[in-house]
Amino acid sequence: MKNLHHYGIFSLTTFAIVCLLAVSSLAQEVLYVGTYSVRGSEGIYAYTFDREQQTFELLQTSTTLESPSFLAFSPDGQHLYSTNRGGVGSQPDAGSVSAFAIAPASGKLTALNEVSSYGISPCHVEVDDEGNWLYVSHYGGGSLSVFPIGAEGEIGELADSVQHTGGSVNEERQSAPHVHSIQPIPQSDYFIVADLGLDQLKIYQMDEGDISAAPIPYIATEPGAGPRHFVQAEGTPYIYVAEEMTSTVSVHTLDMQQEETRQIQRLSTLPDDFSGSNSVADIHISSDGKFLYVSNRGHNSLAIFEVNAEDGTLTPRGHQSSMGEIPRNFMIDPKGEFVLVANQDTDNVVFFQRDTATGQLTPTGMELSVPSPVCLMMTDTGQGSTEVRK
């Protein structure tokens, strides 16, 4: 791995348990949908997407182990990885991770291999920016695993793992650790782990498969917040954290060179007049860094925030109904034209037009019916190169 060139400056992606991804090739765009194994789901779905007509056509379904949840692409867009609740081999009580090759012309998936994730309830998977390592988060067991990625995209044997311990103030939800997502810091040896049970974003250093604590051991959230996913605009030192249990988003700075971190803002993701139950799920920032979106499960909406380019702080700019129930995950497409929302309980993926000047979302009337969709990610594949957007 490379040395950290710009301390505290990195681009992160977020996080859930069923993922939706779109690949754009020279011939066509393809949308991949991971699902929970409920209500007749057949595994991972692939649809061709006509952007001009805003229509879909089923391309393929790929059967996997139980509940192929979070999905991730390799940096070159040639491979897809999924976390699964179902076990494999000598670890039937643990979850698993699967690898697929993506056909360059058609976007169809071919299974490569699957291995035990060496943990309970894997809920998130990510690949480092050089395509060498696969990171897996385990919500149920509160641990993380790291695997090498082979030359053909296959998953190798477990390289290292870390078991978190402890808890926080909420006895019902935080009596134990709950690792929810991992994001490597690009162009560095560091990665960050959101642990909902500990109210911390732990920071680790990676050395050829060996994990150790970073000089800054963690970023602390407020007690009882429950950090789930986090994101950062490229070229800024600001980290935005989706806090599941308190329906808030917090803003932190991280300076690895000075070994300093601090919280500078914390805002509700809900309207002032909302009184029902809610939990925050996913978080994404537009590629230009101007707008931040957070999904609310209960209020069933996306909260919209404008980002201050000078100091990283947020200003609320309203809410958009998700047009379904339990929007566990969503994504901004690579061109920034649409926001796609996966509503877990109503089995629909809803497309919204995005105003790049105001950040506001408008329903397009376009929906895709998929059993229990949850997480959304996208890659843009062109002739001779691939750019991954999540």
Side-chain angles (χ1 to χ4, degrees), residues 41 84 148 235 275 278 347 376 380:
S41 171
N84 317 298
S275 59
N278 186 80
D347 301 339
L376 310 159
D380 190 15

Side-chain angles (χ1 to χ4, degrees), residues 38-299:
V38 296
R39 299 189 289 277
S41 171
E42 298 180 20
I44 299 173
Y45 291 70
Y47 295 85
T48 57
F49 174 47
D50 186 319
R51 181 176 290 268
E52 292 187 1
Q53 299 298 319
Q54 299 184 4
T55 58
F56 292 91
E57 183 176 348
L58 182 64
L59 173 67
Q60 179 192 31
T61 58
S62 300
T63 303
T64 68
L65 294 169
E66 178 190 353
S67 295
S69 54
F70 208 91
L71 307 179
F73 282 104
S74 58
D76 60 11
Q78 297 180 14
H79 299 96
L80 175 71
Y81 301 92
S82 73
T83 55
N84 317 298
R85 282 189 172 181
V88 64
S90 61
Q91 299 282 330
D93 296 329
S96 57
V97 194
S98 299
F100 301 86
I102 302 174
S106 68
K108 287 187 174 181
L109 300 178
T110 300
L112 296 177
N113 73 326
E114 53 195 18
V115 301
S116 172
S117 66
Y118 291 91
I120 302 171
S121 300
C123 62
H124 185 266
V125 62
E126 186 59 279
V127 181
D128 78 316
D129 63 324
E130 295 179 346
N132 295 327
W133 301 101
L134 191 75
Y135 298 85
V136 181
S137 304
H138 297 100
Y139 179 86
S143 68
L144 61 105
S145 301
V146 180
F147 300 86
I149 297 175
E152 303 301 320
E154 74 279 9
I155 306 168
E157 294 296 322
L158 179 70
D160 202 355
S161 63
V162 175
Q163 176 64 59
H164 286 181
T165 59
S168 193
V169 297
N170 188 309
E171 294 182 0
E172 182 179 354
R173 294 290 309 278
Q174 297 179 311
S175 62
H178 296 295
V179 174
H180 222 307
S181 61
I182 297 174
Q183 296 296 331
I185 302 178
Q187 307 302 317
S188 81
D189 298 323
Y190 300 105
F191 64 93
I192 301 178
V193 181
D195 194 313
L196 180 146
L198 304 184
D199 285 324
Q200 293 178 354
L201 274 67
K202 286 187 170 291
I203 308 174
Y204 291 101
Q205 188 164 9
M206 176 77 155
D207 183 12
E208 295 301 319
D210 293 327
I211 302 171
S212 58
I216 304 175
Y218 61 85
I219 299 170
T221 62
E222 297 292 332
R228 178 184 176 96
H229 290 283
F230 54 97
V231 69
Q232 181 187 31
E234 187 173 358
T236 79
Y238 305 109
I239 299 175
Y240 302 91
V241 183
E243 299 175 334
E244 175 177 331
M245 295 169 55
T246 51
S247 296
T248 47
V249 57
S250 59
V251 186
H252 304 256
T253 60
L254 174 63
D255 189 326
M256 294 296 291
Q257 186 175 31
Q258 298 297 322
E259 299 184 10
E260 293 179 351
T261 180
R262 63 189 179 95
Q263 179 176 296
I264 61 174
Q265 190 184 28
R266 189 167 185 248
L267 296 171
S268 173
T269 63
L270 295 168
D272 292 338
D273 60 356
F274 180 74
S275 59
S277 61
N278 186 80
S279 63
V280 157
D282 200 14
I283 183 169
H284 291 284
I285 195 166
S286 58
S287 59
D288 60 11
K290 294 181 179 180
F291 294 97
L292 183 82
Y293 303 85
V294 183
S295 63
N296 287 306
R297 297 175 296 178
H299 186 248

Side-chain angles (χ1 to χ4, degrees), residues 291-293 302-306 315-320 359-361:
F291 294 97
L292 183 82
Y293 303 85
L302 296 189
I304 305 169
F305 299 91
E306 186 172 1
T315 300
R317 295 303 184 200
H319 297 80
Q320 170 59 52
Q360 297 301 303
L361 308 178

